[in-house]
Amino acid sequence: MMDINDHPILNKLIATVKKPSWAFPLLLFTLFIILSLQITKNESGFSTRPVSHTGFQFELSGSGTCDGSVPVRAVKRSIVEFGGVGDGVTSNTAAFRAAMRWMKEFEGRGGAQLIVPKGQWVTGSFNVVSDSTLFLEEGALVMGSQDPKEWPIIEPLPSYGRGRERLGGRHISLIHGDGLTNVVITGQNGTIDGRGKMWWDLWWNRTLEHTRGHLVEIMNSKNILISNLTFRNSPFWTIHPVYCSNVVIKDMTILAPLNAPNTDGIDPDSCTNVCIEDCYIESGDDLVAVKSGWDQYGTSMARPSSNIIIRRVSGTTPTCSGVGIGSEMSGGVSNIRVENLHIRNSAAGVRIKTDIGRGGYIENITITNITMENVKVPLRFSRGADDHPDDGWDPKALPKIKGIFISNVVSYNSRKAPMLLGMEGAPFEGICMKNVSLLGLPPTARWNCEHISGFVNGVLPAPCSLLQRNASVTCA
């Protein structure tokens, strides 16, 4: 496969950018034509390729918004018609499961919609179906069962090889789906509450037997929309699409206590064509984390996460990052665009996490228009997660990191300078920063850099010497 940096036409065009101002649009147009005709990885830093599919539409390059239109379902019924009782006490597990069996009859025939009206609806886990809409009306509150038996044990994900927290299987998510097409979970800002404290206590007390369940997990599916709801108190990661394509998650509020363990907001995992936008998240872990499998299980399955846009996300996490990539990234992560992020009172703004044994790659990551307030470490590349699924991990499996483009970043009341730590034998290459201002750092703060290389333009305070100043750098 040809490296884009070795392409003679591109090298000639890039050289012209330093000359007349009209050359830059010509460069973009020519890049599009060349990359459309060649099957090659996009390592140029230009995230301009549109993502084309038959589901919800969006462009990776972009401004604007993703299509979150809710399809019209001709057939609709209320959970009450299946025996549901919204008194906050009665179990509605049987009612939700019966409703899903009824909805399955309309797969391929326009689908059906289940309405959850105002009330408090206690339920255990249930599986959604294809061509379905789960619609929570204003005032509707779906509450996770406090009986662990209503969160059955299922097989571990093949790209993890075991439960993420414990060996063996894992608890199913409250709302689950596998092998589906055209699934919508939406409403009039209704709420789904996982009531996760029971699970957090098991984790804190070291009495957890199986990995905790997510609030929503959709697997092996395509054309998924999750929008206009409040999710809170997930036992584990809140929204977890895995092995999916064409996923839109927008206009969501996701809340968990700031000390609730591993309550990530949104974790696309081995997914392609994902749009996450206009969300507010408070959690005890990453607000958004892009993943793709764990060590040898992830590299063996080789299901990357790619073509993902994360924009207009705001929130706080005192222990982790606004947007994280990894540390489980063994299947590869590429073509990610993060823009218009607003992070406050957090441990890190944007963080790339990996480790020896991970293998895989992270490439063509664009991070732009980021505002941070009271963030301890605004930009962080870290190694040494030091967790592996079992003794079968390969210490020679090193990740490859190339093409990290960071521009238009302002951090107020920063406490530490960036920590950019690559790995010996696996340096982080092709880092580009432009217009990065880190305000409020103590006078003694210094960048901490190891095993990285790249260029900067307009970065204050002065970065480490491994990042060379270059006034022509665009980081586009």
Side-chain angles (χ1 to χ4, degrees):
M1 181 176 290
M2 178 179 288
D3 189 319
I4 195 168
N5 297 314
D6 296 332
H7 199 296
I9 299 176
L10 289 181
N11 286 332
K12 184 175 180 180
L13 281 166
I14 291 170
T16 68
V17 176
K18 302 178 183 179
K19 298 179 182 179
S21 60
W22 48 261
F24 188 67
L26 175 62
L27 171 60
L28 287 178
F29 176 76
T30 309
L31 277 170
F32 177 79
I33 297 299
I34 291 172
L35 294 177
S36 296
L37 295 175
Q38 295 185 5
I39 300 176
T40 181
K41 293 179 181 177
N42 183 1
E43 298 173 348
S44 67
F46 294 96
S47 300
T48 56
R49 183 175 58 193
V51 178
S52 178
H53 52 77
T54 58
F56 307 102
Q57 301 294 319
F58 63 95
E59 290 187 356
L60 189 64
S61 60
S63 56
T65 187
C66 302
D67 180 7
S69 301
V70 177
V72 176
R73 310 288 191 197
V75 180
K76 301 178 183 180
R77 291 183 71 177
S78 168
I79 188 65
V80 175
E81 298 178 63
F82 298 91
V85 179
D87 60 4
V89 178
T90 303
S91 173
N92 293 283
T93 306
F96 276 103
R97 292 177 181 176
M100 293 301 135
R101 289 192 295 271
W102 165 77
M103 296 176 81
K104 192 171 180 61
E105 298 176 3
F106 298 91
E107 289 182 340
R109 298 194 290 135
Q113 177 168 305
L114 178 66
I115 298 170
V116 182
K118 182 178 180 180
Q120 299 180 359
W121 310 88
V122 179
T123 182
S125 175
F126 61 90
N127 289 278
V128 292
V129 299
S130 292
D131 300 317
S132 69
T133 298
L134 176 62
F135 190 93
L136 276 65
E137 293 185 339
E138 183 178 2
L141 172 61
V142 175
M143 305 164 65
S145 170
Q146 297 289 277
D147 181 358
K149 293 179 181 178
E150 291 206 290
W151 303 65
I153 305 301
I154 60 174
E155 291 294 315
L157 294 169
S159 57
Y160 285 73
R162 47 161 280 187
R164 185 61 182 86
E165 300 179 288
R166 297 289 185 268
L167 293 172
R170 60 203 180 99
H171 286 280
I172 196 170
S173 58
L174 182 63
I175 298 176
H176 193 76
D178 191 357
L180 307 179
T181 303
N182 302 329
V183 175
V184 177
I185 302 173
T186 189
Q188 297 167 324
N189 199 30
T191 298
I192 300 177
D193 188 340
R195 298 201 287 179
K197 187 178 184 303
M198 171 184 73
W199 301 97
W200 309 332
D201 287 344
L202 292 173
W203 187 87
W204 282 319
N205 297 333
R206 300 180 182 272
T207 54
L208 185 68
E209 295 183 4
H210 298 279
T211 297
R212 292 168 282 162
H214 310 290
L215 197 66
V216 174
E217 181 180 70
I218 307 295
M219 303 172 52
N220 301 303
S221 300
K222 62 182 180 180
N223 299 346
I224 309 300
L225 172 63
I226 302 174
S227 68
N228 203 35
L229 295 171
T230 296
F231 286 178
R232 68 189 191 204
N233 300 323
S234 176
F236 197 43
W237 306 342
T238 304
I239 302 176
H240 187 225
V242 57
Y243 319 139
C244 291
S245 62
N246 307 343
V247 178
V248 173
I249 302 170
K250 63 180 298 177
D251 299 316
M252 293 293 296
T253 300
I254 299 174
L255 305 172
L258 299 181
N259 65 339
N262 312 112
T263 49
D264 301 35
I266 304 170
D267 288 4
D269 195 339
S270 294
C271 290
T272 59
N273 298 348
V274 178
C275 174
I276 299 167
E277 65 180 19
D278 300 312
C279 295
Y280 179 80
I281 305 172
E282 294 182 358
S283 81
D285 212 297
D286 294 324
L287 306 187
V288 178
V290 181
K291 302 175 181 289
S292 67
W294 196 11
D295 284 9
Q296 72 272 25
Y297 298 103
T299 55
S300 176
M301 190 167 183
R303 289 283 297 270
S305 280
S306 63
N307 292 359
I308 296 175
I309 188 162
I310 302 162
R311 60 187 168 200
R312 299 189 299 275
V313 171
S314 62
T316 183
T317 169
T319 59
C320 290
S321 55
V323 170
I325 296 177
S327 71
E328 309 93 327
M329 40 62 64
S330 303
V333 176
S334 66
N335 295 347
I336 311 297
R337 184 177 180 89
V338 180
E339 63 182 22
N340 299 322
L341 202 67
H342 185 186
I343 305 302
R344 58 181 177 81
N345 302 327
S346 298
V350 177
R351 185 178 180 187
I352 295 176
K353 303 178 283 185
T354 186
D355 199 1
I356 60 171
R358 291 290 192 260
Y361 58 87
I362 298 173
E363 62 185 26
N364 195 28
I365 311 298
T366 298
I367 300 162
T368 187
N369 298 333
I370 311 299
T371 302
M372 292 175 266
E373 301 175 62
N374 301 313
V375 172
K376 185 176 181 180
V377 184
L379 301 171
R380 187 171 185 183
F381 302 165
S382 59
R383 64 197 179 207
D386 196 27
D387 63 337
H388 306 283
D390 52 43
D391 293 337
W393 69 279
D394 180 4
K396 296 181 180 179
L398 300 179
K400 298 179 180 179
I401 287 65
K402 183 176 182 180
I404 311 296
F405 306 92
I406 301 173
S407 63
N408 303 329
V409 175
V410 178
S411 180
Y412 300 97
N413 298 321
S414 310
R415 282 184 271 167
K416 290 188 176 182
M419 301 174 64
L420 310 179
L421 305 178
M423 283 182 278
E424 186 175 2
F428 290 20
E429 300 176 323
I431 297 169
C432 181
M433 294 189 188
K434 182 178 181 180
N435 296 338
V436 176
S437 298
L438 310 177
L439 308 176
L441 284 173
T444 56
R446 297 290 182 271
W447 292 52
N448 185 1
C449 305
E450 294 179 7
H451 308 296
I452 64 169
S453 64
F455 297 92
V456 298
N457 179 9
V459 174
L460 295 173
C464 54
S465 60
L466 295 178
L467 298 174
Q468 302 177 40
R469 292 179 179 84
N470 186 332
S472 65
V473 164
T474 61
C475 300

